[in-house]
Amino acid sequence: MKSRMLFVLTVIIVLLAAGCGKPPDNSKLNWPVQDFTFTNQEGQAFGLADLKGKVWIADFVFTNCVTVCLPMTSNLALLQQKLRDAGVDVEIVSFTVDPARDTPEVLKTYGQNYEADFANWHFLTGYTQDEIKKFSEGTFRSAVQNDPNSDQVIHGTAFYLVNPAGVIVSRYEGAFDTPFEQIIQDAKSILRKEKAK
C-alpha cells in the first residue's frame, strides 16, 4: 500500500513538473518521428511507413496502469468519436510502455474495453522495454521509467499531433482538461494545407 501511494505521489509530481495544467509550449516542436516497425493488436507489422501521408495522434500507455492511462485512453476514445463526427481523417497510435505484459491479444482486449475503432486506432507492442524508452525519450522527448517500488511504469501524459511528413507539430494534455476542439482544429488545419499543395 505504501509503495502504491509513493507511486501515485511520484506521478502527481511528474504531472506538476510538466506544467501545472498550463497548455504545452508547441512553438519549438518540429520533431521528426524516427522510423519504426512494431506489432499491432492484430499481431501484424505496423510502422511509420503505414502512416506516411497521414495525420496521426500518438500517446504512450499500458494496460496494467492504475493512474493516468485510464483517463488518457478514455479521452482518446472520445477524441476518436469527435474526429469521426467532424469528418476529420486522423489515425491514432498508442504505444505500450509495458511490452512484456502487453501482447497483441492483451492490447486488443484493452482497446475493445474502450470501444476503440481499430480501423484507425493502432495499439503497438513488439519491442523491448529499453527500445520503447529510447523511442519515447528520443523522438517524443517524454520520459519512460519503471517504478522501483511497484509494477507500474512512469510516463508522460501528452497526446502528440504528427503531420503527413512524420513530424510532431503539437502536443496536448491527454489525461486532464484535454483540449478536444483545439486538437480537431489543428488537425483540420494540417489537412487543409495538404489539400492546397
Side-chain angles (χ1 to χ4, degrees), residues 40-96:
N40 70 10
Q41 73 281 348
E42 306 296 340
Q44 300 170 341
F46 185 91
L48 188 60
D50 298 290
L51 296 162
K52 188 175 181 180
K54 299 179 180 180
V55 175
W56 52 288
I57 292 167
D59 78 335
F60 293 83
V61 294
F62 65 108
T63 65
N64 192 46
C65 181
V66 297
T67 54
V68 293
C69 303
L70 305 172
M72 285 177 71
T73 308
S74 293
N75 285 338
L76 211 45
L78 181 56
L79 179 59
Q80 184 181 44
Q81 183 61 53
K82 286 178 175 289
L83 286 163
R84 185 186 302 117
D85 292 345
V88 183
D89 187 17
V90 172
E91 301 287 308
I92 299 172
V93 182
S94 290
F95 299 92
T96 178

Side-chain angles (χ1 to χ4, degrees), residues 20-35:
C20 302
K22 295 176 185 174
D25 178 11
N26 290 322
S27 62
K28 296 178 182 174
L29 267 65
N30 187 25
W31 305 337
V33 178
Q34 70 185 62
D35 194 22

Side-chain angles (χ1 to χ4, degrees), residues 64-192:
N64 192 46
C65 181
V66 297
T67 54
V68 293
C69 303
L70 305 172
M72 285 177 71
T73 308
S74 293
N75 285 338
L76 211 45
L78 181 56
L79 179 59
Q80 184 181 44
Q81 183 61 53
K82 286 178 175 289
L83 286 163
R84 185 186 302 117
D85 292 345
V88 183
D89 187 17
V90 172
E91 301 287 308
I92 299 172
V93 182
S94 290
F95 299 92
T96 178
V97 294
D98 189 10
R101 225 182 308 230
D102 288 344
T103 63
E105 296 79 14
V106 169
L107 288 173
K108 186 166 186 176
T109 299
Y110 180 75
Q112 288 170 336
N113 289 340
Y114 287 91
E115 298 183 355
D117 181 352
F118 296 128
N120 68 327
W121 190 346
H122 317 277
F123 292 82
L124 301 188
T125 187
Y127 37 76
T128 66
Q129 184 73 28
D130 190 51
E131 285 170 335
I132 194 60
K133 176 181 172 65
K134 287 178 179 174
F135 180 71
S136 177
E137 293 177 355
T139 293
F140 293 86
R141 317 292 203 269
S142 183
V144 171
Q145 177 184 335
N146 287 327
D147 176 35
N149 300 307
S150 76
D151 62 354
Q152 297 293 289
V153 182
I154 300 168
H155 61 92
T157 62
F159 291 165
Y160 299 88
L161 183 63
V162 186
N163 71 18
V167 176
I168 301 165
V169 294
S170 297
R171 62 183 163 179
Y172 315 88
E173 172 53 47
F176 309 103
D177 299 321
T178 300
F180 297 104
E181 297 311 315
Q182 185 65 54
I183 297 172
I184 293 168
Q185 181 181 326
D186 291 348
K188 280 182 176 178
S189 176
I190 293 171
L191 289 166
R192 274 195 303 269

